[in-house]
């Protein structure tokens, strides 16, 4: 079981992961309220779409959950974390398309590849 | 020369500084291009305006400078740094208004208070 | 009540605020566990001490609180937020010394100037 | 060419990508000097090793390049970017080991998978 170079679909999935780590850790901690959620979502989508091989990013910020967190919390805003957003992304790398998403699962913002379409491993 | 509690205008200037540090270090490193500059500027303004005592934030991203940096650089985007933006902010803290800005001075993104209007020290 | 330039002590407090905003928003969101807390605290102190006029930074990360949050949470680590750290900072700006701190107050990571010693307003 | 679920090695590469995006965008922009480079490198390694499936992270910050950038620049420190560091990482995901690295290539901090060893696609 020796080490080998990555297949095209593996490199594509690596690229998808980079975008998710970027998105999360660039923007986590941003001051946010229901009123500012839309502008932040738009900026995050456009920022990440600048990165190589990133065809589309869709971000859905749950303003009800934001409002509830602010209601319970000590201030009139809160900080962005994974619990407030769902993300879907399409990565086009050579002949491979990867679809990946982030959603809350048992309280953890799970990032995962949901689909691979390509010429790499299994056709 | 003993230690004393801050005057109102000093506390107001402290609040202004917090907002500048937040703005810069939350968003520095964001992938950016001339096309995505407007959405990022809007999101930064609204995000920081969520913070306590922050009355207004105006951000001007220099898309010509962005385009020039991308032209010289290795990719079709670059990362946000202080060299690409001017910022002006108004902080209203109790009876004090602080105006502060960030602009490039000799290559350094200088943050400074440009005006204090208040009941604190000199009336 | 016209606008005037900042006094030296006000500029010093602005500088202190910048450092707090930087510290918080550069590092909030960092993956952290009780085992990695010490290296992160040390890096944060040294990073912020690089900034102009910053004489000393002391950070105390509450590893018991970290352990409790991880116990309750979905993963074997958590993300750094203000609820896990106390910060104390000394800013030396011209002839003014500012002492400022961040600590949790009613669930909010309150940043405040606790002492001003200087030649600026009251001698 | 229909969409399918990711193979184990593809999921492993996705995990590797997440760690690189996290590392870069959590810490890019941190104030840094040759003296503070070692503590930041140590903190980055330990922070990322907290993340799931991350077996090892090695970061090498080029202090000569830092010193040169500071020499040319307007301040006594600079901000961390990809041009100052090489990173190597090992991700262990189920039966797959992924080795990935970041290094400067033609001025761009290139992140790539350099080796895959596993039970997934080609044995």
């Amino acid at each position: 079981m020796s080490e080998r170079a990555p297949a095209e679909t593996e490199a594509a999935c690596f690229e998808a992961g980079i975008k998710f780590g970027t998105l999360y850790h660039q923007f986590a901690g941003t001051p946010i309220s229901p009123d500012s959620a839309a502008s932040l979502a738009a900026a995050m989508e456009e920022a990440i779409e600048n990165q190589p091989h990133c065809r589309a990013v869709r971000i859905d910020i749950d303003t009800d959950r934001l409002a509830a967190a602010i209601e319970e919390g000590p201030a009139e805003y809160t900080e962005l974390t994974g619990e407030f957003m769902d993300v879907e992304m399409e990565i086009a790398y050579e002949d491979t398309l990867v679809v990946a998403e982030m959603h809350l699962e048992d309280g953890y913002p799970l990032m995962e590849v949901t689909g691979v379409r390509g010429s790499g491993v299994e056709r």
Side-chain angles (χ1 to χ4, degrees), chain A:
Chain A
M1 208 173 70
S2 61
E3 203 167 298
R4 57 170 177 77
E8 181 188 308
T9 55
E10 292 163 348
C13 289
F14 180 69
E15 291 295 329
I18 292 171
K19 276 69 184 169
F20 273 87
T22 298
L23 173 66
Y24 197 93
H25 289 276
Q26 183 64 58
F27 295 104
T30 301
I32 189 170
S33 62
D35 285 352
S36 71
S39 66
L40 185 57
M44 291 193 290
E45 290 174 349
E46 292 196 10
I48 301 303
E49 286 172 356
N50 282 316
Q51 291 193 313
H53 318 296
C54 187
R55 199 160 82 172
V57 181
R58 279 179 294 275
I59 295 175
D60 181 27
I61 297 183
D62 187 331
T63 51
D64 289 342
R65 209 178 280 163
L66 274 181
I70 292 167
E71 182 73 29
E72 283 173 30
E76 283 165 54
Y77 68 101
T78 189
E79 294 173 10
L80 183 68
T81 69
E83 75 179 294
F84 300 119
M85 58 176 164
D86 287 346
V87 180
E88 194 179 280
M89 226 182 268
E90 290 173 31
I91 301 296
Y93 180 85
E94 299 183 11
D95 295 327
T96 297
L97 179 75
V98 172
V99 180
E101 57 177 60
M102 185 180 83
H103 60 271
L104 212 60
E105 194 155 308
D106 299 327
Y108 185 79
L110 186 69
M111 301 171 185
E112 59 179 352
V113 175
T114 55
V116 178
R117 195 188 312 163
S119 53
V121 267
E122 298 163 43
R123 258 174 274 202

